[in-house]
Amino acid sequence: MTVAAVIVAAGRGLRAGGGVPKQWRDLAGRPVVAHALAAFAAADRRVLVIHPDDLDRARPVAGDALIVPGGQTRDASVRAALDALAGTGTTRVLIHDAARPLVPAAVIARVLAALDTHPGAAPALAVTDALWQGADGLVRGMADRTGLWRAQTPQGFRYDAILAAHRAHPGGAADDVAVARAAGLDVAIVEGHKDNLKLTFPDDFARAEAIIRGRQMDVRVGNGFDVHAFTAGDHVWLCGVRVPHDRALLGHSDADVGMHALTDAIYGALAAGDIGRHFPPSDPQWKGAASRIFLAHAAALAAERGYRLAHADVTLICERPKVGPHAAAMQAALAAILGVDPGRVSVKATTSERLGFTGREEGIAALATATLVAG
Ligand code: MG
């Protein structure tokens, strides 16, 4: 599966004020477009569709995104982006309005997941307010809100299907769901999010800044602790690295005590229980399992809930084997599983001065701390 994100930023809307098109206005220190691009950092490739007049604005924020000049209408702009993706191996495309800069990762994940079973999927919120018909300042009637949804983006599609739909469409569609439906494609509705607001009026910017401030405050710290006893063997697994030793660690899985402590720290930060809850030791399928499965699950759960790992710190407590020569490899192994820069992962070790069970070399203990940040 190769996912491309198309960020549509070619509009000229000036209703939001500030004298520049709204997608180029500053929001918490950077242009709105930069926030929207960052929300899709996990995509395999990104396309930024702009008005040709905005090229100088786009270059500094585009990063590795492909800049494509848009057309006269929204659907012409999307079509230009889809054409630019031809031959790149893209299988799924997420088409997103730059004016929705705060789309949560969980919404993107829901759209992508729905594409496993549908050719199209898009987020929306059910209409909960009463709907009135009004004229001349008076309520003239009530409208039934049953089955009504407020559409959001990203609207996701299987690439070949939406490209063909756009090529066949006469133009003038309100959005890509309309284009898809005109081509007979089913579009699944997935749950949107209230933070995925569309910046339209000046007040919307103040609301968006408040949401960003709230996200920056949502920092979670979890801790984990684990112990495994030594048994007969010739190596131990520690933080994803096979370390030669005159003993092995006893455990239901590969007994990677450091990775278990770190996995529990992430679950702890999410208030999501521990390894035993997600991978019950009573279930034979986890016997001998590589602990990377547990850590990858915890990392995916964090991403699904809208958190990224800001930092992790693991301390191994043992007299032997010596951890120092392997610490850099452990740091790299954990960072690769977590999908973060190795500079965000610390692995260190200490002895317990020959005191207690670790001092008597009966086993190894590990402590871990994980810091997750929303957004
Ligand atoms: Mg364990």
Side-chain angles (χ1 to χ4, degrees), residues 294-367:
F294 310 153
L295 184 59
H297 177 268
L301 190 64
E304 193 181 298
R305 295 192 181 179
Y307 292 92
R308 63 184 172 80
L309 183 87
H311 182 252
D313 186 18
V314 180
T315 301
L316 298 166
I317 306 167
C318 60
E319 302 293 330
R320 293 186 311 128
K322 285 283 167 249
V323 169
H326 305 282
M330 293 174 178
Q331 186 181 13
L334 294 176
I337 297 166
L338 293 164
V340 299
D341 188 274
R344 294 183 180 276
V345 180
S346 153
V347 176
K348 58 195 195 303
T350 184
T351 72
S352 55
E353 300 290 344
R354 302 226 151 257
L355 297 171
F357 69 86
T358 54
R360 293 188 298 270
E361 298 194 41
E362 294 167 2
I364 298 181
L367 292 162

Side-chain angles (χ1 to χ4, degrees), residues 131-143:
L131 295 177
W132 296 340
Q133 284 155 344
D136 306 322
L138 294 174
V139 177
R140 302 291 183 179
M142 310 289 287

Side-chain angles (χ1 to χ4, degrees), residues 226-228 260:
D226 197 26
V227 173
H228 282 264
H260 292 181

